[in-house]
Amino acid sequence: MKNLLENYENVATLLISLVALIISGLALYYTIRAYLLKSGHRIRCDIVPCSNIQCSDNYISSITLENLKDRATVIFEIYLKLGRGQYLLIEKFKKKPLILKPFEVYYKEFEPLFFYTEGTDVVKLRNFLFDKKLSSKIILSTTDGRYVVNSNLKRWNPITDFFKNYFTAIIQPVRVPYKGKSYGNKTKYLVELKYSSGSDQIIDIYEGDNRLMKFKNFSLTRESLKSSKSLKAYFKKQRKQGNISFEKIKVIDFEEKFNEIKNRYGEEVIKLEEYSFFKYNVVGPIYTRYQNYKLDRENKRMRNKNKAANS
């Protein structure tokens, strides 16, 4: 009996020691992790090269920096190193440096450019930004000197899925903003009123508002909603009768604007359908390969035709 109690005590002591060891190990792990978060720099980056009809050379259209440390990083300049010894300036913070706070993300978009220069000479990058064989790295000029960004953001875009499977649909919303606010396609008119105090007000008008008491002292009529001119005249009439007060009025035919934008797209309205697992994952890739095969044959036929015409 005495031996049995001693065995239980030994097991209990062993378990307590094991638990204490695990707790000590976890405490050490979190202490080291907290120290590493506070020391040095660790920044992830993503750049998006762009080529379009607005300029003759390629350029960086956007950059994203993510600070993974629990300490701020002060950045003066951002460069893209192309190959050996060629640095492309992406952004220079002239007035004040960029202070990337702990765990903060910095995002910036860039407009098209005229050209690049090196000293007094014009430089053409050609396809350097798109050359995957070329060794390129993001270099940051910081208060601690030169910092090389070794970690890239793992951005995902559904366009990669589309080129593998043409059954993939990338649906994008189309919004029409006016002075910082977007309005739906059922908006018929926007009435912008300017007051003597310097303030202004934008009122969205819809079909059927003549059946509502939209304003305190008067209601809209069916005739006033026939056109932007008739609505503007109706508001001026109500001002003359003392039902509303404003200095200037502007009426925008938002329905016409909507139709103008919609006409840029196809007339057919596509209704979404839910694909089965077999149709999307089996039929889709086969259909994609077949379409790519047809396109390759057509391109080859056109090249041979052009070659024969030039010979």
Side-chain angles (χ1 to χ4, degrees), residues 172-275:
Q172 302 181 42
V174 177
R175 293 185 173 90
V176 182
Y178 182 75
K179 292 194 173 182
K181 183 179 178 181
S182 297
Y183 298 88
N185 66 305
K186 290 186 176 181
T187 306
K188 192 171 181 66
Y189 302 108
L190 289 181
V191 178
E192 184 175 0
L193 301 177
K194 292 188 180 294
Y195 301 104
S196 57
S197 61
S199 61
D200 57 5
Q201 182 185 10
I202 299 175
I203 305 166
D204 43 337
I205 305 294
Y206 300 88
E207 189 75 45
D209 274 359
N210 57 296
R211 297 190 296 268
L212 305 173
M213 193 67 181
K214 198 173 181 77
F215 300 93
K216 185 178 180 180
N217 298 321
F218 67 96
S219 298
L220 298 173
T221 63
R222 183 180 295 180
E223 290 73 20
S224 67
L225 297 178
K226 284 186 176 180
S227 68
S228 58
K229 288 183 178 180
S230 62
L231 184 60
K232 187 175 182 180
Y234 186 75
F235 266 86
K236 287 184 175 181
K237 179 183 176 182
Q238 295 302 318
R239 180 178 63 176
K240 191 175 181 180
Q241 293 176 357
N243 293 326
I244 191 172
S245 176
F246 59 85
E247 277 202 347
K248 294 181 181 179
I249 182 172
K250 181 180 180 182
V251 179
I252 299 165
D253 193 333
F254 211 74
E255 188 176 43
E256 182 181 331
K257 196 175 186 69
F258 166 74
N259 292 329
E260 179 185 332
I261 294 172
K262 193 177 180 182
N263 288 337
R264 299 174 191 171
Y265 300 88
E267 293 183 3
E268 181 185 1
V269 177
I270 300 172
K271 291 185 178 180
L272 289 181
E273 62 172 300
E274 185 179 358
Y275 296 129

Side-chain angles (χ1 to χ4, degrees), residues 74-182:
V74 181
I75 301 171
F76 300 104
E77 296 167 351
I78 304 173
Y79 291 92
L80 174 63
K81 186 180 179 183
L82 300 168
R84 297 180 179 85
Q86 300 177 106
Y87 296 89
L88 170 64
L89 178 63
I90 296 178
E91 188 169 10
K92 185 175 183 178
F93 304 96
K94 294 180 180 180
K95 295 182 179 180
K96 61 178 182 178
L98 169 66
I99 301 175
L100 199 59
K101 296 176 183 178
F103 308 111
E104 187 179 38
V105 174
Y106 172 76
Y107 177 77
K108 177 73 176 290
E109 291 185 349
F110 302 99
E111 301 295 334
L113 46 77
F114 274 10
F115 49 81
Y116 297 99
T117 62
E118 197 274 316
T120 58
D121 299 320
V122 176
V123 177
K124 188 166 182 62
L125 288 185
R126 301 189 300 278
N127 293 320
F128 268 54
L129 295 180
F130 292 93
D131 191 350
K132 293 184 179 179
K133 296 179 181 178
L134 188 70
S135 176
S136 60
K137 291 183 178 180
I138 294 291
I139 311 292
L140 305 178
S141 172
T142 71
T143 49
D144 292 329
R146 181 176 182 265
Y147 175 76
V148 181
V149 180
N150 293 317
S151 180
N152 294 327
L153 290 167
K154 295 180 180 179
R155 288 186 61 175
W156 171 83
N157 194 310
I159 193 70
T160 55
D161 291 351
F162 172 78
F163 285 116
K164 295 176 183 177
N165 188 339
Y166 289 163
F167 281 12
T168 303
I170 304 172
I171 303 161
Q172 302 181 42
V174 177
R175 293 185 173 90
V176 182
Y178 182 75
K179 292 194 173 182
K181 183 179 178 181
S182 297

